[in-house]
Coordinates of all heavy atoms in Angstrom, one line a residue:
A190 N 114.9 -71.2 38.2 CA 114.2 -69.9 38.0 C 113.7 -69.3 39.3 O 113.8 -68.1 39.5 CB 113.0 -70.1 37.0
E191 N 113.3 -70.2 40.2 CA 112.6 -69.7 41.5 C 113.5 -69.5 42.6 O 113.2 -68.8 43.6 CB 111.4 -70.6 41.8 CG 110.3 -70.5 40.7 CD 109.7 -69.2 40.6 OE1 109.6 -68.4 41.6 OE2 109.3 -68.8 39.5
R192 N 114.7 -70.3 42.7 CA 115.5 -70.2 43.8 C 114.8 -70.4 45.2 O 114.9 -69.4 46.0 CB 116.3 -68.9 43.8 CG 117.1 -68.6 42.5 CD 118.4 -69.4 42.5 NE 119.1 -69.3 41.2 CZ 120.3 -69.9 41.0 NH1 120.9 -70.5 42.0 NH2 120.8 -69.8 39.9
F193 N 114.3 -71.6 45.3 CA 113.4 -71.8 46.6 C 114.4 -71.8 47.9 O 115.5 -72.3 47.8 CB 112.7 -73.2 46.5 CG 111.8 -73.2 45.4 CD1 112.1 -74.1 44.3 CD2 110.7 -72.5 45.3 CE1 111.2 -74.1 43.1 CE2 109.8 -72.5 44.3 CZ 110.0 -73.4 43.2
D194 N 113.8 -71.3 48.9 CA 114.5 -71.4 50.2 C 114.2 -72.9 50.7 O 115.2 -73.5 51.3 CB 114.0 -70.4 51.3 CG 114.2 -69.0 50.8 OD1 115.4 -68.7 50.5 OD2 113.2 -68.2 50.7
R195 N 113.1 -73.3 50.7 CA 112.7 -74.7 51.2 C 111.8 -75.3 50.2 O 111.1 -74.7 49.4 CB 112.2 -74.6 52.7 CG 113.1 -73.7 53.6 CD 113.0 -74.0 54.9 NE 114.2 -73.2 55.6 CZ 114.6 -73.4 56.8 NH1 113.9 -74.2 57.6 NH2 115.6 -72.7 57.3
V196 N 111.7 -76.7 50.4 CA 110.9 -77.5 49.6 C 110.1 -78.5 50.4 O 110.8 -79.1 51.3 CB 111.7 -78.3 48.5 CG1 110.9 -79.3 47.7 CG2 112.5 -77.4 47.5
C197 N 108.8 -78.6 50.2 CA 108.0 -79.6 50.9 C 107.5 -80.6 49.8 O 106.7 -80.2 49.0 CB 106.8 -78.9 51.5 SG 107.3 -77.9 52.9
H198 N 108.1 -81.7 49.7 CA 107.8 -82.7 48.6 C 106.8 -83.7 49.1 O 107.2 -84.6 49.7 CB 109.2 -83.4 48.2 CG 108.9 -84.4 47.1 ND1 108.3 -84.1 45.9 CD2 109.3 -85.7 47.1 CE1 108.2 -85.2 45.2 NE2 108.8 -86.2 45.8
L199 N 105.6 -83.4 48.7 CA 104.5 -84.3 49.1 C 103.9 -85.1 48.0 O 103.1 -86.0 48.2 CB 103.4 -83.6 49.8 CG 103.8 -82.7 50.9 CD1 102.6 -81.9 51.5 CD2 104.4 -83.6 52.1
A200 N 104.3 -84.8 46.7 CA 103.7 -85.4 45.6 C 104.2 -86.9 45.5 O 105.4 -87.1 45.6 CB 104.0 -84.6 44.2
A201 N 103.3 -87.8 45.2 CA 103.7 -89.2 45.1 C 102.5 -90.0 44.6 O 101.3 -89.5 44.7 CB 104.2 -89.8 46.4
Q202 N 102.7 -91.2 44.0 CA 101.6 -92.0 43.7 C 101.2 -92.8 45.0 O 102.1 -93.4 45.6 CB 102.0 -93.1 42.7 CG 101.0 -94.1 42.3 CD 99.7 -93.5 41.9 OE1 99.6 -92.8 41.0 NE2 98.5 -93.7 42.6
A203 N 100.1 -92.5 45.5 CA 99.7 -93.1 46.7 C 99.0 -94.4 46.6 O 98.7 -94.8 45.5 CB 98.7 -92.1 47.5
G204 N 98.8 -95.1 47.7 CA 97.9 -96.3 47.7 C 98.7 -97.6 47.8 O 99.5 -97.9 46.9
V205 N 98.5 -98.4 48.8 CA 99.2 -99.7 49.0 C 98.6 -100.7 48.1 O 99.4 -101.3 47.3 CB 98.9 -100.2 50.5 CG1 99.4 -101.6 50.6 CG2 99.7 -99.2 51.5
R206 N 97.3 -100.8 48.0 CA 96.7 -101.9 47.0 C 97.0 -101.6 45.6 O 97.2 -102.5 44.8 CB 95.3 -102.0 47.4 CG 95.1 -102.9 48.7 CD 93.7 -102.8 49.2 NE 93.4 -101.4 49.9 CZ 93.8 -101.1 51.0 NH1 94.6 -101.9 51.7 NH2 93.5 -99.9 51.5
H207 N 96.9 -100.2 45.2 CA 97.2 -99.9 43.9 C 98.6 -100.3 43.4 O 98.9 -100.6 42.2 CB 97.0 -98.4 43.7 CG 97.0 -98.0 42.3 ND1 96.0 -98.3 41.4 CD2 97.8 -97.1 41.6 CE1 96.3 -97.7 40.2 NE2 97.3 -97.0 40.3
S208 N 99.5 -100.3 44.4 CA 101.0 -100.7 44.0 C 101.0 -102.1 43.6 O 102.1 -102.5 42.9 CB 101.9 -100.3 45.2 OG 101.7 -101.2 46.3
I209 N 100.2 -103.0 44.1 CA 100.2 -104.4 43.7 C 99.9 -104.7 42.3 O 100.4 -105.6 41.6 CB 99.3 -105.1 44.7 CG1 99.8 -105.0 46.1 CG2 99.3 -106.7 44.3 CD1 98.9 -105.6 47.2
T210 N 98.9 -103.9 41.8 CA 98.5 -104.1 40.4 C 99.0 -103.1 39.4 O 99.1 -103.4 38.2 CB 96.9 -103.9 40.4 OG1 96.6 -102.6 40.9 CG2 96.2 -105.1 41.2
N211 N 99.7 -102.0 39.9 CA 100.3 -101.0 39.0 C 101.7 -100.6 39.5 O 101.9 -99.5 39.8 CB 99.3 -99.8 38.8 CG 98.0 -100.1 38.3 OD1 97.8 -100.2 37.1 ND2 97.0 -100.4 39.1
P212 N 102.5 -101.6 39.5 CA 103.9 -101.2 40.1 C 104.7 -100.2 39.5 O 105.4 -99.4 40.1 CB 104.6 -102.6 40.2 CG 103.9 -103.4 39.1 CD 102.5 -102.9 39.1
S213 N 104.6 -100.2 38.2 CA 105.5 -99.3 37.4 C 105.4 -97.8 37.6 O 106.3 -97.0 37.7 CB 105.4 -99.6 35.9 OG 104.1 -99.3 35.4
V214 N 104.1 -97.4 38.0 CA 103.9 -96.0 38.2 C 104.5 -95.6 39.5 O 104.9 -94.4 39.7 CB 102.4 -95.7 38.3 CG1 101.7 -96.3 39.5 CG2 102.1 -94.2 38.3
Y215 N 104.7 -96.5 40.4 CA 105.4 -96.2 41.8 C 106.9 -96.0 41.5 O 107.5 -95.1 42.2 CB 105.1 -97.3 42.8 CG 103.7 -97.3 43.2 CD1 102.7 -97.8 42.5 CD2 103.3 -96.6 44.4 CE1 101.4 -97.8 42.8 CE2 102.0 -96.5 44.8 CZ 101.1 -97.2 44.1 OH 99.7 -97.1 44.4
V216 N 107.5 -96.6 40.5 CA 108.9 -96.4 40.3 C 109.1 -95.1 39.5 O 109.9 -94.3 39.9 CB 109.4 -97.6 39.3 CG1 110.9 -97.3 38.9 CG2 109.3 -98.9 40.1
S217 N 108.2 -94.8 38.6 CA 108.4 -93.5 37.8 C 108.0 -92.3 38.7 O 108.7 -91.3 38.7 CB 107.6 -93.5 36.7 OG 106.2 -93.7 36.9
S218 N 106.9 -92.4 39.5 CA 106.5 -91.2 40.2 C 107.3 -91.0 41.6 O 107.8 -90.0 41.8 CB 105.0 -91.3 40.6 OG 104.2 -91.2 39.4
N219 N 107.4 -92.2 42.3 CA 107.9 -92.1 43.7 C 109.4 -92.2 43.8 O 110.0 -91.5 44.6 CB 107.3 -93.1 44.5 CG 105.7 -93.0 44.7 OD1 105.2 -92.1 44.0 ND2 105.2 -93.7 45.5
I220 N 110.0 -93.0 42.9 CA 111.4 -93.2 42.9 C 112.2 -92.2 42.0 O 113.0 -91.4 42.4 CB 111.9 -94.7 42.7 CG1 111.2 -95.5 43.8 CG2 113.3 -94.8 42.6 CD1 111.5 -97.0 43.6
Q221 N 111.8 -92.3 40.7 CA 112.5 -91.4 39.7 C 112.1 -90.0 40.0 O 112.9 -89.1 39.9 CB 112.1 -91.8 38.3 CG 112.7 -91.0 37.2 CD 114.3 -91.1 37.2 OE1 114.8 -92.2 37.1 NE2 114.9 -90.0 37.3
G222 N 110.8 -89.7 40.3 CA 110.4 -88.4 40.6 C 111.1 -87.7 41.8 O 111.4 -86.6 41.7
F223 N 111.3 -88.6 42.8 CA 112.0 -88.0 44.0 C 113.5 -87.7 43.6 O 114.1 -86.8 44.0 CB 111.9 -89.0 45.1 CG 112.5 -88.5 46.4 CD1 112.1 -87.2 47.0 CD2 113.5 -89.2 47.1 CE1 112.7 -86.8 48.1 CE2 114.1 -88.7 48.2 CZ 113.7 -87.6 48.8
L224 N 114.1 -88.7 42.8 CA 115.5 -88.4 42.4 C 115.6 -87.1 41.6 O 116.6 -86.3 41.8 CB 115.9 -89.6 41.5 CG 117.3 -89.5 41.0 CD1 118.4 -89.5 42.2 CD2 117.6 -90.6 40.1
N225 N 114.6 -86.8 40.7 CA 114.6 -85.5 40.0 C 114.5 -84.3 41.0 O 115.2 -83.3 40.7 CB 113.4 -85.5 39.1 CG 113.6 -86.5 38.0 OD1 114.7 -86.9 37.6 ND2 112.5 -86.8 37.3
I226 N 113.7 -84.4 42.1 CA 113.7 -83.4 43.1 C 115.1 -83.2 43.7 O 115.5 -82.0 43.9 CB 112.6 -83.6 44.2 CG1 111.3 -83.5 43.5 CG2 112.8 -82.7 45.3 CD1 110.7 -82.1 43.2
L227 N 115.7 -84.3 44.1 CA 117.0 -84.2 44.7 C 118.1 -83.6 43.8 O 118.9 -82.8 44.1 CB 117.4 -85.6 45.2 CG 116.7 -86.1 46.5 CD1 117.0 -87.6 46.7 CD2 117.1 -85.3 47.7
E228 N 118.0 -84.0 42.5 CA 119.0 -83.5 41.5 C 118.8 -82.0 41.3 O 119.8 -81.3 41.2 CB 118.8 -84.3 40.2 CG 119.6 -85.5 40.2 CD 121.1 -85.4 40.2 OE1 121.6 -84.8 39.2 OE2 121.6 -85.8 41.2
A229 N 117.5 -81.6 41.4 CA 117.2 -80.1 41.2 C 117.8 -79.4 42.4 O 118.3 -78.3 42.3 CB 115.7 -79.9 41.0
A230 N 117.6 -80.0 43.7 CA 118.1 -79.3 44.8 C 119.6 -79.4 44.9 O 120.3 -78.5 45.5 CB 117.6 -80.0 46.1
R231 N 120.2 -80.3 44.2 CA 121.7 -80.4 44.1 C 122.2 -79.3 43.2 O 123.2 -78.6 43.4 CB 122.1 -81.8 43.6 CG 123.5 -81.9 43.2 CD 123.8 -83.3 42.6 NE 125.2 -83.4 42.2 CZ 125.7 -84.4 41.4 NH1 124.8 -85.3 41.0 NH2 127.0 -84.4 41.2
S232 N 121.5 -79.0 42.0 CA 122.0 -78.1 41.1 C 121.7 -76.6 41.5 O 122.4 -75.7 41.2 CB 121.3 -78.4 39.7 OG 119.9 -78.2 39.8
T233 N 120.6 -76.5 42.2 CA 120.2 -75.1 42.8 C 119.9 -75.4 44.3 O 118.8 -75.7 44.6 CB 118.9 -74.6 42.1 OG1 119.2 -74.5 40.7 CG2 118.7 -73.2 42.6
P234 N 120.9 -75.2 45.2 CA 120.7 -75.6 46.6 C 119.6 -75.0 47.3 O 119.2 -73.8 47.0 CB 122.1 -75.2 47.2 CG 123.0 -75.2 46.0 CD 122.2 -74.8 44.8
V235 N 118.9 -75.7 48.2 CA 117.9 -75.2 49.0 C 118.4 -75.4 50.5 O 119.2 -76.1 50.8 CB 116.5 -76.0 48.9 CG1 116.0 -75.8 47.4 CG2 116.7 -77.4 49.1
D236 N 117.7 -74.6 51.4 CA 118.1 -74.6 52.8 C 117.6 -75.9 53.5 O 118.2 -76.3 54.5 CB 117.6 -73.3 53.6 CG 118.2 -72.1 53.1 OD1 119.4 -72.2 52.6 OD2 117.6 -71.0 53.2

């Protein structure tokens, strides 16, 4: 819908120590979430 020229992807689950006790959220937010951003940039290219 927006046809972005550029993307600054800063969203993520932060925190080193939190990742030790809550690993699953890092997979869903940081790995799967980033893959979704890349797939969106693949379907609607950005500069």
Side-chain angles (χ1 to χ4, degrees):
E191 295 296 329
R192 302 280 170 175
F193 300 111
D194 297 308
R195 309 209 168 185
V196 174
C197 294
H198 178 54
L199 304 177
Q202 178 57 57
V205 168
R206 283 164 288 283
H207 189 64
S208 72
I209 297 173
T210 55
N211 298 273
S213 60
V214 70
Y215 289 80
V216 175
S217 60
S218 295
N219 298 8
I220 297 178
Q221 184 61 54
F223 185 57
L224 180 63
N225 291 341
I226 289 288
L227 286 169
E228 277 293 295
R231 175 187 175 189
S232 61
T233 306
V235 299
D236 294 333

